[in-house]
Amino acid sequence: MGTVMDSHFLALTAIVTVGYQLFFFVITALLKFDKLTDFAGSSNFIVLAILTIVVKGSWHFRQVVLTLLVVLWGLRLGLFLLMRILQWGEDQRFDDKRDNLGKLAVFWIFQAIWVWSVSLPLTVVNASDRDLSIRAGDIIGWIMWSVGFSVEATADQQKLAFKNSPQNLRKWCNVGLWRLSRHPNYFGEMLLWWGIFVASTPVLKGAEFLVVLGPILLNLLLLFVSGIPLLEESADKKFGNAEEYRFYKATTSPLIPLPPVYTRNCRVGSKQLSSSSSLYTVEICLEIIGIEETRRR
């Protein structure tokens, strides 16, 4: 079992990830400095991507492309989040954790699991000896990544520009992609990592397809744990009394960017949904059903 894990770099990447996150956890816990948290997560992906391709040393075209895609994503997101938190001053997610070592440790454990799991498709590709010609899966995966990366980066910049404008103080972001989705950046991130998985499938075989657990875990975390639920709860507290916000929430897709006409079609009977994380699946399913009904018409 140990040999199998080592041949796929599973043990190596797990050890490096735990050590990397532990280093930043100690800094955060001792200095109560949480400005490096998101950078620690994003940069960890870069470390694993470069480590696995260098250790393997085969430099197959597919390995190089996927490694570059992950490094590009990690650099863009890591620097963006670092600059943003330095500008904002503090991360409100840690307001109840800075003086609670247990809660802080749980957060960092989840971050380590997230990094290691979501990196699995690239880890296994970089560990593989199979150098197959470019297949349809590669092209489809690269396109998915490109679209997802563009959506995430555009949404991040649009929201940052919106929040930096004094005239938008105490307003929710509803410009650009945010008119079509309440969380377009998360949609982009999910799509690009599914693209990495799809682009890895040409070289996967047997149990290696279990790396699909990486993008699945990412979806679960963003939909039900640390992503959408926390942001929706925060927005509801800030703007819940505003009629315009309630209309925006009732007529805007929770995740997939969709024109309002599609969103309204799938909102029938869903306006009473609360912001409980367990109901996001219902919203998204209604969204998909609404699209299909509109197409039939």
Side-chain angles (χ1 to χ4, degrees), residues 146-156 177 184-185 187-189 191 257:
S146 299
V147 174
F149 181 84
S150 300
V151 169
E152 182 182 40
T154 300
D156 281 343
L177 289 171
N185 54 336
F187 170 77
E189 184 159 337
L191 182 60

Side-chain angles (χ1 to χ4, degrees), residues 1-2 4-17 116 123:
M1 180 64 180
V4 173
M5 288 187 68
D6 289 342
S7 67
H8 288 80
F9 295 155
L10 302 185
L12 173 64
T13 52
I15 292 170
V16 170
T17 300
W116 183 81
T123 297

Side-chain angles (χ1 to χ4, degrees), residues 73 90 97 133 185 229 247 277 293:
W73 170 81
E90 64 178 10
K97 298 180 180 66
S133 59
N185 54 336
F247 177 80
S277 62
E293 287 178 348

Side-chain angles (χ1 to χ4, degrees), residues 174-192:
N174 60 352
V175 299
L177 289 171
W178 300 85
R179 285 182 176 274
L180 309 177
S181 167
R182 303 203 298 270
H183 305 282
N185 54 336
Y186 288 156
F187 170 77
E189 184 159 337
M190 292 179 193
L191 182 60
L192 71 86

Side-chain angles (χ1 to χ4, degrees), residues 2-184:
T3 303
V4 173
M5 288 187 68
D6 289 342
S7 67
H8 288 80
F9 295 155
L10 302 185
L12 173 64
T13 52
I15 292 170
V16 170
T17 300
V18 170
Y20 194 78
Q21 295 303 312
L22 181 61
F23 171 76
F24 284 100
F25 166 73
V26 170
I27 293 177
T28 303
L30 292 180
L31 303 180
K32 300 190 186 306
F33 184 78
D34 50 53
K35 293 182 176 61
L36 296 176
T37 306
D38 287 325
F39 178 79
S42 302
S43 61
N44 202 157
F45 284 94
I46 300 174
V47 170
L48 296 187
I50 295 175
L51 173 68
T52 51
I53 196 171
V54 169
V55 170
K56 185 63 178 180
S58 52
W59 304 96
H60 296 156
F61 183 70
R62 181 179 288 104
Q63 294 172 335
V64 172
V65 170
L66 289 184
T67 298
L68 287 175
L69 295 184
V70 170
V71 169
L72 179 59
W73 170 81
L75 281 174
R76 202 286 307 175
L77 184 63
L79 291 176
F80 171 80
L81 294 176
L82 179 60
M83 294 300 101
R84 189 181 68 175
I85 194 62
L86 290 176
Q87 176 184 343
W88 288 359
E90 64 178 10
D91 192 333
Q92 294 181 351
R93 293 175 303 170
F94 294 94
D95 288 347
D96 64 337
K97 298 180 180 66
R98 293 186 184 93
D99 298 317
N100 189 318
L101 195 60
K103 286 186 177 181
L104 197 62
V106 169
F107 174 89
W108 283 89
I109 290 171
F110 266 102
Q111 179 149 286
I113 295 172
W114 164 62
V115 172
W116 183 81
S117 301
V118 176
S119 294
L120 282 175
L122 177 62
T123 297
V124 172
V125 167
N126 281 353
S128 177
D129 293 315
R130 293 185 288 281
D131 183 18
L132 307 177
S133 59
I134 300 304
R135 308 293 173 86
D138 295 291
I139 305 299
I140 294 171
W142 298 342
I143 292 173
M144 291 172 64
W145 182 91
S146 299
V147 174
F149 181 84
S150 300
V151 169
E152 182 182 40
T154 300
D156 281 343
Q157 291 301 324
Q158 288 175 340
K159 188 170 187 177
L160 184 63
F162 183 90
K163 284 184 169 293
N164 284 341
S165 175
Q167 65 185 20
N168 295 324
L169 187 64
R170 290 187 290 275
K171 293 183 180 179
W172 64 94
C173 183
N174 60 352
V175 299
L177 289 171
W178 300 85
R179 285 182 176 274
L180 309 177
S181 167
R182 303 203 298 270
H183 305 282

